[in-house]
């Protein structure tokens, strides 16, 4: 399951970051890990943008991020 599959207000644990979108380069995936999307880290999908689409408001630790769908597709999670 990916972060993009979670419904709004759902919690999960990051399993890893994997290339799943041709729109992202290796540097983008490395950036996600540097931001805190690392295995074992709790994540909370707070809400989605207009119409349930982009951006996704996500909390990792104490930090809030706005992610594109392409980025969320690369973040593998285990639902809580």
């Amino acid at each position: 399951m990916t972060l993009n599959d979670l419904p709004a207000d759902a919690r999960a644990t990051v399993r890893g970051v994997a290339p799943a979108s041709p729109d992202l380069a290796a540097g983008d995936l490395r950036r996600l890990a540097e931001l805190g999307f690392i295995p074992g880290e709790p994540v909370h999908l707070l809400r989605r943008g207009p119409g349930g689409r982009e951006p996704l408001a996500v909390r990792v630790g104490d930090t809030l991020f706005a992610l594109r769908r392409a980025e969320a597709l690369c973040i593998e999670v285990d639902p809580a």
Side-chain angles (χ1 to χ4, degrees):
M1 169 179 262
T2 68
L3 184 59
N4 187 64
D5 298 323
L6 291 176
D9 199 33
R11 296 176 188 270
T13 302
V14 176
R15 187 176 345 136
V17 176
S21 173
D23 297 332
L24 297 180
D28 296 317
L29 298 177
R30 187 172 42 254
R31 181 179 141 288
L32 289 173
E34 290 169 353
L35 290 174
F37 293 95
I38 56 174
E41 193 67 31
V43 63
H44 183 187
L45 176 58
L46 299 168
R47 61 188 161 273
R48 294 175 178 271
R53 305 275 308 159
E54 298 181 286
L56 284 74
V58 179
R59 183 177 306 279
V60 176
D62 293 329
T63 307
L64 181 65
F65 295 99
L67 297 180
R68 296 176 293 160
R69 182 176 179 269
E71 295 164 328
L73 285 169
C74 296
I75 301 169
E76 299 172 341
V77 298
D78 292 318

